[in-house]
Amino acid sequence: MNEEQRLQAGLATEDAPSGKTTEKDYSKYFESVYSAPSLKDAKKRGKKEVEYHDNFQIEQRFKGMGQGRKFYIRTYGCQMNEHDTEVMAGIFMALGYEATDTVKDADVILLNTCAIRENAENKVFGELGHLKPLKLERPDLLIGVCGCMSQEESVVNKILKTYDQVDMIFGTHNIHRLPHILHEAYMSKEMVIEVWSKEGDVIENLPKVRHGKIKAWVNIMYGCDKFCTYCIVPYTRGKERSRRPEDIIQEVRQLAAEGYKEITLLGQNVNAYGKDFDDITYRLGDLMDDLRKIDIPRIRFTTSHPRDFDDHLIEVLAKGGNLVDHIHLPVQSGSSDMLKIMARKYTRESYLELVNKIRTAIPTASLTTDIIVGFPNETDEQFEETMSLYREVGFDMAFTYIYSAREGTPAAKMQDNVPMEVKKERLQRLNKLVNDMSAEAMKPYKGQVVKVLVEGESKKNPDVLAGYTEKSKLVNFRAPRSVIGEIVEVRIKEAKTWSLDGEFIGVVKEEKVMS
Ligand code: 5AD
Ligand code: SF4
């Protein structure tokens, strides 16, 4: 009996071990029925062409599965995960489930996890611990783990051993299989595990329930082939594969028609967009040039890799219009030696050259970055080079991290002679610089008028509205709630380290995008 026939027959498993399971029991189980993650397969980058599928549909037998049931998804990590959550919510709704934002009311709880650093993983294990009493109270509750952590062999083994409150684990390439996985979980007494480590395809027509009506995420590519030595992403997200331009353009047009004001194009390394096409020459610059003609006020992208940031893209970004002048350009370190060991494939000098090119073409550009401190064997001098690069570029903001060893990555095997104390002290010094320079970058705004896309109430004070400028500066101001979702003008009265306070002037009249 193949898997499909088995599912048709409503059978959960063919030869699942019964009773209390052990890791050993499961290894046989995986081979016969399920797929567990494999680091070896995740490393592979074959020549196989990406397959595009646009025939996703909810099978008749699954329709109504969610009748009278509620789902809750907790999302950890990056925007890619946030967007995956929107897709999973879309699938749940298509199955007839209702959304809830209260764990206690949920019949299915999913943790959409992040594997980028150890503390991200610890949060998830902590949360699983918190969910255990709920599962004991309500054995029919389904608890699932998905996202990047589920792609890791070691995580799946740990869950199998110690977290028997988990009913299902599925991977980042298995999201479209959610109806089947839920079905299995309802039918089976055992933990359902479906994690494909294969390189991955592109599935086009998955349903989505977007979070909000103002800003939207649009995937332009999946995966990463860069294999920076510290990073788990190439193993958890598979090989680089780009969506076809016509599908992306169509999605952005549709979002514009629905009234969205801002689009963020997503990919682990958006500058590699189009590299995998073998029938057309079409890269991120070409895509941005096409998208800027769509009548939507703001278009951003994240995340960039300096290595693939080409001249054509800079030329197109310089045309402005709805292409915002904020570029997030992770540098990771200011030391060429460190960059080499990180396998970033650029140097301090070439990064600075790129910054110079961007600034020459787009003088108003605001640059932000990501930095890792305490990479194995980073010396004081090398850390100082990061500090000096930060000053030299004059970044507006940075996300800063202490290096975290990720099992399976090359860096995890490196000897590390930097004590944690030293790493923490470096992080503190860097953060002080980041704060000081952010405060400096904010000062000139005082007295200026900025355009703000109003997102809603400020987190701290419901009487105040908040939104972001094109350069991603947070602005707080008082105005009628009717301007939520609009682009408004605000005169800045006070510049703080991370935000601006201002006075509402009025709604910006329709600005036509250049064609
Ligand atoms: N340890 C610390 N930071 C990391 N990042 C990626 N992998 C690691 C790691 N192993 C950071 C990088 C990346 C950001 C998303 O997370 O700075 O740009
Ligand atoms: Fe990780 Fe490097 Fe790929 Fe970014 S470019 S996702 S840091 S491997």
Side-chain angles (χ1 to χ4, degrees), residues 116 224-228 230-234 268-269 303 305 332 344:
I116 200 99
C224 180
D225 288 348
K226 283 283 179 283
F227 288 100
C228 301
Y230 50 82
C231 186
I232 193 85
V233 169
Q268 249 79 39
N269 165 16
T303 278
H305 192 296
Q332 313 299 358
R344 291 289 289 177

Side-chain angles (χ1 to χ4, degrees), residues 78 115-118 229-233 303 328 330-332 344 369-373 375 399-406 409 411:
C78 66
I116 200 99
R117 281 169 292 275
E118 197 183 351
T229 52
Y230 50 82
C231 186
I232 193 85
V233 169
T303 278
H328 188 67
V331 66
Q332 313 299 358
R344 291 289 289 177
T369 198
D370 290 349
I371 293 174
I372 298 177
V373 302
F375 190 76
F399 296 110
T400 57
Y401 311 100
I402 289 184
Y403 165 74
S404 167
R406 307 283 60 220
T409 61

Side-chain angles (χ1 to χ4, degrees), residues 262-316:
E262 182 175 306
I263 300 294
T264 303
L265 306 176
L266 289 182
Q268 249 79 39
N269 165 16
V270 287
N271 300 80
Y273 177 75
K275 269 185 150 181
D276 53 321
F277 294 147
D278 46 19
D279 56 337
I280 49 171
T281 308
Y282 189 93
R283 302 293 306 275
L284 185 61
D286 301 299
L287 181 66
M288 296 305 277
D289 209 16
D290 281 338
L291 293 178
R292 78 188 174 85
K293 295 165 195 154
I294 298 177
D295 196 5
I296 195 151
R298 293 178 179 184
I299 300 181
R300 324 178 169 272
F301 54 83
T302 196
T303 278
S304 274
H305 192 296
R307 165 89 176 174
D308 296 317
F309 211 110
D310 61 41
D311 291 352
H312 181 50
L313 174 62
I314 299 177
E315 214 176 278
V316 171

